[in-house]
Amino acid sequence: MPLDPNPLHSTRCCVVGGGPAGMMLGLLLARAGVAVTVLEKHSDFLRDFRGDTVHPSTLQILQELGLLQKFKQLPQRRESLLSGLIAGREQPVVDFRGLRPFDYLALVPQWDFLNLLADAGRRYPSFDLRMRHTATGLMRDGGRVAGVRVESPDGAYELRADLVVACDGRHSTIRAAAGLKGTDYGAPMDVLWFRMPRSAHDPQGTFGIANHGHLMVLLNRNEYWQTAFVVPKGSDAELRAQPIDRLRDAVVRLAPFLSDRRDSIESWDAISTLAVQVDRLDRWHTPGLLLIGDAAHAMSPIGGVGINLAIQDAVAAANALATPLREGRRIDEAQLAAVQRRRELPVRVVQRVQLAIQNRVISRALEADGRPPRIPWLLRLLLSLRVVRNRPARLFGYGIRQEHVRTPELAP
Ligand SMILES: Cc1cc2nc3c(=O)[nH]c(=O)nc-3n(C[C@H](O)[C@H](O)[C@H](O)COP(=O)(O)OP(=O)(O)OC[C@H]3O[C@@H](n4cnc5c(N)ncnc54)[C@H](O)[C@@H]3O)c2cc1C
């Protein structure tokens, strides 16, 4: 099908969603000289409930793109050792020390990270990022996806593309429009997400606390704690029917150092509920369409690895598709299937570990009887060894089948 010559209505590659997967793919394709349009439904990247954890695999990609120095200038914390406070006892669990080339996890507000990628993309003339443009459905030509329908502040339009890549996250519109099926692995929990002020005397790191039938993760964002309070799946309506004091009590019971700030949790309105979901599509593609990141495989927050896997997917997709896209060759389904083949194993392995932790650790920690969870003595003994604590750090930090930037850079 001939492309509409109006660049507003046609592109080589349309990327739906400006999250980590979409922004990285848009940047890599534009850098390789491909005309790429990224559609993002929000007007900016300023959303509080995005994960912040930039793992070594992503640091490596930033280094390969020459963006690491700029990244290091963003406000961030580095964590080399992640601990749990389990029934009052501190237990180091994930240890990056000794890993090479990066021996830490960077905690960076995701909006800063996405702005960095957007600014890097704008250096290339073929990068077209459209904020407040929402993909509402797919256009088809014969059996092939031929573009997307878009709603924007200036009205609705159709954007034709030789290839559409859906990076629109866990509630993907494009996945639904394509009718792709997968497996929902379930999750025993959802997350209440809110901020609490920090004080100079608070503990320093980022850590999880499990006790009294509750589980909470405190992410140190310097001026405040980004708090993730884990609750049983589907309990949101019941919780919100209770006075806010019930939540304040539970938070302070887990972290007594927050008791002088309990009223900073003003009301239920200040609290977002984030539904946790773990699933994976059987097929990540149809003719003319590829899905990557959470759109293909929704990740649990465990290990803070979803952003990083989404970025690895984007790098793999760009490595496979940038050259044929730039040369104007038609992308056939076998090329899209190759991207899935490359990325599916790393995703499967991480999801399997996440499901084991969800089912064996988190479900038990949330049991209503409030008994403090216990770590078996053998596990505690093993975790006293750095080499054992390095294993989850290596899996979550670098993953298996680590991707590297293989796409060329055309002069900006
Ligand atoms: C409670 C919770 C906490 C988490 N914490 C972490 C963490 O700390 N670290 C981590 O690595 N992972 C975390 N994750 C997982 C992580 O959020 C995802 O795995 C990751 O964001 C996936 O990136 P993505 O680019 O595929 O999708 P997303 O980040 O979901 O990005 C999708 C983008 O598409 C846009 N979009 C959606 N629909 C449309 C449309 N129709 N048209 C245009 N744009 C659209 C959205 O606005 C969004 O910007 C967490 C998940 C949950 C549920």
Side-chain angles (χ1 to χ4, degrees):
M1 178 198 353
L3 284 181
D4 183 334
N6 180 346
L8 283 176
H9 297 152
S10 77
T11 182
R12 267 306 268 161
C13 180
C14 169
V15 174
V16 179
M23 292 309 298
M24 180 55 78
L25 181 61
L27 163 62
L28 287 168
L29 291 182
R31 181 176 171 275
V34 177
V36 57
T37 301
V38 182
L39 304 174
E40 168 53 49
K41 69 179 178 184
H42 289 99
S43 57
D44 56 36
F45 298 122
L46 268 177
R47 261 145 301 141
D48 209 13
F49 48 86
R50 292 180 178 275
D52 289 2
T53 47
V54 175
H55 274 291
S57 62
T58 300
L59 297 171
Q60 176 72 43
I61 298 297
L62 292 170
Q63 184 170 52
E64 291 170 10
L65 289 172
L67 293 174
L68 191 62
Q69 290 315 317
K70 280 195 177 148
F71 176 82
K72 284 181 176 171
Q73 288 159 15
L74 299 179
Q76 62 188 276
R77 283 188 61 79
R78 291 182 182 185
E79 304 286 358
S80 289
L81 183 63
L82 301 177
S83 299
L85 201 60
I86 300 163
R89 188 178 188 147
E90 186 170 353
Q91 176 63 62
V93 184
V94 181
D95 198 338
F96 291 90
R97 292 173 302 178
L99 300 189
R100 291 284 172 269
F102 298 99
D103 62 354
Y104 63 91
L105 162 78
L107 286 157
V108 176
Q110 200 184 116
W111 52 88
D112 285 331
F113 177 58
L114 293 178
N115 276 320
L116 176 94
L117 298 183
D119 287 345
R122 287 191 190 100
R123 295 171 59 223
Y124 303 98
S126 63
F127 182 77
D128 174 15
L129 171 61
R130 301 184 190 173
M131 305 301 287
R132 290 173 73 200
H133 285 235
T134 305
T136 54
L138 288 170
M139 296 159 60
R140 287 197 170 77
D141 198 354
R144 190 179 166 92
V145 169
V148 291
R149 295 181 213 292
V150 187
E151 267 172 22
S152 78
D154 301 323
Y157 66 100
E158 292 184 339
L159 178 65
R160 293 197 164 268
D162 295 325
L163 178 69
V164 174
V165 185
C167 303
D168 51 344
R170 291 176 294 149
H171 309 294
S172 170
T173 304
I174 300 297
R175 179 201 278 209
L180 291 168
K181 297 276 175 291
T183 307
D184 183 351
Y185 295 98
M189 79 277 200
D190 292 324
V191 174
L192 303 182
W193 193 249
F194 51 95
R195 294 177 178 194
M196 294 192 77
R198 285 192 77 245
S199 108
H201 310 294
D202 287 354
Q204 278 307 309
T206 281
F207 52 92
I209 312 172
N211 212 343
H212 315 298
H214 292 300
L215 183 60
M216 179 166 80
V217 178
L218 293 174
L219 298 166
N220 183 344
R221 284 190 179 163
N222 294 327
E223 306 87 59
Y224 62 91
W225 290 108
Q226 181 59 61
T227 311
F229 192 91
V230 182
V231 296
K233 182 115 212 131
S235 59
D236 189 46
E238 197 185 318
L239 287 168
R240 284 175 189 269
Q242 297 173 7
I244 191 70
D245 261 338
R246 290 289 287 274
L247 177 64
R248 292 174 177 153
D249 291 345
V251 168
V252 166
R253 214 165 157 216
L254 283 176
F257 66 89
L258 292 173
S259 53
D260 56 347
R261 283 153 271 169
R262 51 177 285 135
D263 292 347
S264 67
I265 311 176
E266 282 175 9
S267 70
W268 284 108
D269 295 341
I271 291 162
S272 311
T273 304
L274 307 182
V276 176
Q277 175 182 330
V278 184
D279 63 31
R280 195 172 61 248
L281 289 180
D282 301 332
R283 217 154 45 95
W284 301 10
H285 51 87
T286 64
L289 171 69
L290 174 68
L291 297 93
I292 60 171
D294 270 23
H297 49 77
M299 304 303 295
S300 163
I302 291 168
V305 76
I307 297 167
N308 305 274
L309 277 174
I311 286 190
Q312 295 280 297
D313 285 4
V315 175
N319 286 345
L321 304 172
T323 301
L325 279 170
R326 191 185 59 246
E327 292 173 353
R329 284 187 267 143
R330 186 182 168 94
I331 305 291
D332 62 37
E333 230 193 323
Q335 290 166 291
L336 304 179
V339 177
Q340 173 176 355
R341 260 199 316 281
R342 177 151 185 92
R343 294 302 310 149
E344 191 164 357
L345 179 68
V347 169
R348 270 176 187 268
V349 170
V350 171
Q351 284 186 328
R352 187 164 287 194
V353 173
Q354 290 183 325
L355 291 169
I357 296 174
Q358 277 185 186
N359 298 334
R360 296 201 193 140
V361 182
I362 299 204
S363 295
R364 286 186 198 164
L366 293 178
E367 274 168 14
D369 63 9
R371 267 180 305 161
R374 288 179 43 225
I375 305 188
W377 68 267
L378 182 59
L379 182 58
R380 211 166 34 236
L381 184 72
L382 288 172
L383 285 171
S384 68
L385 305 171
R386 187 203 279 187
V387 64
V388 174
R389 297 192 306 258
N390 273 168
R391 293 184 84 91
R394 189 170 288 285
L395 175 67
F396 289 132
Y398 286 97
I400 53 172
R401 200 175 279 164
Q402 197 187 341
E403 303 295 340
H404 294 278
V405 176
R406 310 258 184 241
T407 43
E409 178 180 19
L410 266 65

